[in-house]
Amino acid sequence: MILSIESSCDDSSIAITEINSKKLIYHKKISQELQHSVYGGVVPELAARLHVEALPKILEECQPYFTQLKAIAVTNAPGLAVTLMEGVTMAKALSLSLNIPLIAVNHLKGHIYSLFIEKEASFPMLVLLVSGGHTQVIEVKNLNTMHVMAKTIDDSFGESFDKVAKMLNLGYPGGPIVQEYALKGDKNAYELPIPLSQSAQIAFSYSGLKNAVRMAIEKEKELTQEVKQNICASFQKAAVTHIMQKMKKLFKQNPPTHFAIVGGASANICLRNEIEALCQQYQTTLHLSQLQYCSDNAAMIGRVGVEHYLAGDFISMDELDVFSRTQV
Ligand code: KG4
Ligand code: ZN
């Protein structure tokens, strides 16, 4: 079995995965959403301190499995350096005390492998990764051959939901709350610009849309519930339309046989529906992670860990470091 640790942002999570069957034996996650909610976003130092409390609590429950562990897998990039460090420090301590090797896992690969929890992986596949930190289209050939075809030039899709929620005082994380408000609002109430709609470039951008939302809010005399719902609906429509315009271009150029959406923001129902329709149009098979594995979790890290273990891909204690910005 492999024990995996995830602490790249505001979720403390540990999982245990059986190597041969890929079966998830144990999985627990403690989220810090409530603690960061008052600040409207993740405060890195607070997140690190909360990992120090949460990770050992979860680890205690894993003790019965310690004798069966063959390796420790840990997210070491990308993410918040101070929070990644907490997971990596725990991984090193465990590796030393149990005398088993370490495996470094890229968080973005984790999101991709969230598609294959308790399953065999199957590629090639075109993947749209939408999370709080990333908005990318990745061509995946296998675990070690991934090519980023398009990415954001500023904010990410999920982050823009967080920022809109913050401007409207709705709490954190913004994605689920904005989606909920949008359900009750009029998506045509505000005419917001669709980012890069006139550009042939296949890239994403959310800072302009965010500013347009800010200006729309400033024009309102009072932020009533109805105004908030209408702003959320209009914003979500523009944010999703932007992604869809670029995805339609990509599909037209080269329709994929297999396509997936992964990452915390892949839970967005409006985006899922539009992507489903696009895949149907091109007879592309759509792959989605189970909802509980869309947001950050250690099960997906363990799943990548199994692949690295089977390939004999370990890292020494000295080499294992954290990197806040890396590609897949
Ligand atoms: O993958 P994830 O858990 O963490 C990162 O790796 O960043 O994604 C979290 C992000 C947050 O920005 C959150 O607001 C967003 O995913 N999110 C959503 C939805 N659910 C979560 N964004 C839009 N719609 C949603 N339903
Ligand atoms: Zn993530």
Side-chain angles (χ1 to χ4, degrees):
M1 292 175 190
I2 286 180
L3 182 139
S4 54
I5 307 169
E6 159 63 35
S7 69
S8 67
C9 192
D10 60 342
D11 294 294
S12 316
S13 182
I14 297 181
I16 295 176
T17 312
E18 209 169 66
I19 296 167
N20 289 330
S21 65
K22 273 103 184 163
K23 198 165 166 232
L24 193 58
I25 303 295
Y26 172 92
H27 180 222
K28 186 154 187 175
K29 163 163 137 170
I30 298 179
S31 291
Q32 309 172 354
E33 287 169 359
L34 216 61
Q35 289 92 333
H36 295 290
S37 189
V38 280
Y39 304 101
V42 176
V43 181
E45 285 70 22
L46 173 61
R49 193 152 50 76
L50 293 169
H51 284 306
V52 175
E53 285 170 24
L55 286 173
K57 260 193 218 156
I58 308 177
L59 188 69
E60 237 176 70
E61 294 181 13
C62 301
Q63 279 209 16
Y65 303 103
F66 276 10
T67 54
Q68 297 174 74
L69 296 180
K70 296 282 180 242
I72 306 293
V74 63
T75 307
N76 76 322
L80 299 169
V82 286
T83 63
L84 286 167
M85 195 51 95
E86 297 306 332
V88 165
T89 304
M90 174 176 266
K92 286 184 178 181
L94 279 169
S95 157
L96 206 62
S97 60
L98 299 173
N99 196 25
I100 50 176
L102 286 163
I103 296 169
V105 177
N106 179 302
H107 181 80
L108 306 181
K109 290 186 178 178
H111 276 302
I112 294 170
Y113 274 77
S114 68
L115 295 164
F116 307 120
I117 305 284
E118 306 204 317
K119 272 195 237 168
E120 285 302 329
S122 111
F123 298 119
M125 191 181 274
L126 190 67
V127 178
L128 171 63
L129 167 65
V130 274
S131 68
H134 295 83
T135 304
Q136 299 188 336
V137 181
I138 308 163
E139 200 177 13
V140 185
K141 294 226 166 78
N142 55 53
L143 177 66
N144 298 311
T145 320
M146 301 195 184
H147 167 66
V148 178
M149 298 183 69
K151 60 181 177 184
T152 178
I153 53 179
D154 41 58
D155 293 351
S156 76
F157 179 77
E159 191 181 7
S160 69
F161 279 72
D162 295 335
K163 287 188 175 158
V164 167
K166 190 176 179 182
M167 288 188 255
L168 294 172
N169 273 324
L170 300 180
Y172 171 86
I177 317 170
V178 169
Q179 173 172 285
E180 196 59 35
Y181 269 68
L183 271 179
K184 298 178 195 124
D186 171 8
K187 62 181 189 227
N188 300 314
Y190 296 85
E191 207 173 306
L192 298 170
I194 310 299
L196 303 177
S197 64
Q198 301 305 322
S199 161
Q201 191 189 3
I202 301 191
F204 305 104
S205 167
Y206 281 96
S207 66
L209 175 59
K210 181 186 69 190
N211 281 332
V213 172
R214 191 191 309 280
M215 274 158 30
I217 292 173
E218 279 168 8
K219 276 193 199 141
E220 292 296 337
K221 282 196 200 75
E222 200 190 338
L223 286 180
T224 61
Q225 197 72 350
E226 192 189 345
V227 167
K228 288 182 182 184
Q229 287 163 351
N230 288 344
I231 289 177
C232 287
S234 305
F235 157 74
Q236 180 175 258
K237 180 185 141 197
V240 171
T241 303
H242 170 38
I243 289 209
M244 292 313 298
Q245 281 184 350
K246 299 302 176 188
M247 291 317 303
K248 282 174 188 166
K249 277 205 170 111
L250 274 176
F251 269 60
K252 201 171 171 189
Q253 279 171 12
N254 196 2
T257 313
H258 293 275
F259 183 76
I261 341 176
V262 299
S266 70
N268 187 276
I269 294 164
C270 187
L271 179 64
R272 280 190 173 212
N273 289 344
E274 297 251 354
I275 289 282
E276 254 169 41
L278 181 68
C279 285
Q280 256 176 23
Q281 186 189 336
Y282 284 90
Q283 291 170 353
T284 297
T285 308
L286 176 62
H287 303 260
L288 295 166
S289 316
Q290 289 175 52
L291 270 182
Q292 80 250 44
Y293 303 126
C294 284
S295 56
D296 293 349
N297 65 83
M300 66 187 196
I301 302 306
R303 185 62 190 82
V304 178
V306 165
E307 299 293 323
H308 284 306
Y309 182 90
L310 295 172
D313 192 2
F314 303 107
I315 188 162
S316 72
M317 189 85 70
D318 293 342
E319 274 175 307
L320 179 58
D321 205 349
V322 302
F323 301 95
S324 52
R325 290 178 172 274
T326 356
Q327 299 283 9
V328 278

